[in-house]
Amino acid sequence: MTSSASPQAATSPIRVVVADDHPAVRSGLVALLDSAPDITVVAEAADGDAALIAARAHRPDVVLTDVRMPGATGIEITPRLRETGANVLVISGFDLDEYVLGALAAGADGYLVKTEDPQRILAAVRDVHRGDAVLSAAATRTVVGALRSRAGGEERSVAAGPPAGVAPSFTGREEDVLALVAQGLSNQQIASTLFVEVTTVKSHLSHALAKLGVDSRVQAALWWQQHRS
């Protein structure tokens, strides 16, 4: 079977660790990812502790992790996975609010449900590897609902950020980039909109994330929607 090559195929493949405690599900995800010419699975894990060990040993580009596993959950290990330099894509059989919001607050770069189309899962791995955010339709509804609850006066934490009342001092370009991130634009789309290089967008976004004290563009987008929209 002939596959169309993606932009990543010309360079080194995206290295992925897959963590899921259900052998059949894990095998299915591994087979799906390995079927793509630009993605390779470097390790598998059946629980949170094993996922951390694999990430530290293999230094993958992306960790695809289930939200509920024996021992440490996907949400609990997300901050430590990010410390290895990996982007984190949470995939779950559940779209319950506490899982979605918990994963995003922990710094996950995306949240998908396992009923997603296989091609959507492959695209999501590529997107988070590029530094873009990925949310399933169900996860998006959860986030929107949480933001509306907050706007209505109900306290509900959706994203990390500076202490209440503390406004970060952004440059004009950082403000521009954050506003476009909050609209769901990718780095490439932001670069085209602002007529700058993608590396410039990444630099501005990195500085803005540091000022916000958050780890992912999803958290930055949620902060912006809560405080600037």
Side-chain angles (χ1 to χ4, degrees):
M1 180 181 294
T2 302
S3 301
S4 58
S6 79
Q8 292 288 346
T11 59
S12 57
I14 303 168
R15 303 172 73 255
V16 182
V17 166
V18 177
D20 195 296
D21 61 317
H22 293 93
V25 173
R26 189 171 66 251
S27 296
L29 289 171
V30 170
L32 171 65
L33 296 173
D34 276 339
S35 72
D38 57 329
I39 300 173
T40 184
V41 176
V42 295
E44 303 176 35
D47 56 58
D49 293 333
L52 278 173
I53 292 171
R56 289 165 178 162
H58 295 276
R59 299 286 170 171
D61 301 306
V62 177
V63 176
L64 182 63
T65 178
D66 190 10
V67 71
R68 293 206 311 184
M69 294 183 291
T73 68
I75 294 174
E76 291 168 342
I77 64 174
T78 289
R80 286 174 285 172
L81 290 172
R82 291 189 60 87
E83 289 173 0
T84 70
N87 289 327
V88 180
L89 177 59
V90 173
I91 185 166
S92 174
F94 307 91
D95 57 5
L96 300 178
D97 290 7
E98 61 266 29
Y99 293 143
V100 176
L101 301 181
L104 299 183
D109 299 279
Y111 190 105
L112 296 180
V113 291
K114 292 177 181 176
T115 53
E116 294 283 355
D117 181 84
Q119 292 304 311
R120 168 65 170 158
I121 295 174
L122 292 176
V125 169
R126 296 178 182 119
D127 287 343
V128 298
H129 177 243
R130 284 196 299 265
D132 294 328
V134 176
L135 291 176
S136 66
T140 300
R141 287 193 295 271
T142 293
V143 172
V144 170
L147 291 172
R148 287 174 177 168
S149 295
R150 186 183 180 94
E154 178 185 335
E155 287 299 321
R156 189 173 191 181
S157 176
V158 181
V166 177
S169 178
F170 298 116
T171 66
R173 264 303 189 229
E174 288 167 359
E175 293 259 358
D176 294 339
V177 169
L178 282 175
L180 294 173
V181 165
Q183 292 176 28
L185 273 65
S186 68
N187 287 343
Q188 183 62 59
Q189 290 170 324
I190 294 172
S192 298
T193 299
L194 299 179
F195 302 102
V196 297
E197 297 294 328
V198 173
T199 53
T200 301
V201 172
K202 291 181 177 179
S203 177
H204 288 311
L205 182 56
S206 176
H207 293 154
L209 293 179
K211 291 177 180 180
L212 284 170
V214 300
D215 296 319
S216 75
R217 67 190 292 126
V218 177
Q219 291 173 311
L222 294 175
W223 183 91
W224 186 270
Q225 290 167 353
Q226 290 173 358
H227 297 279
R228 297 294 177 88
S229 297

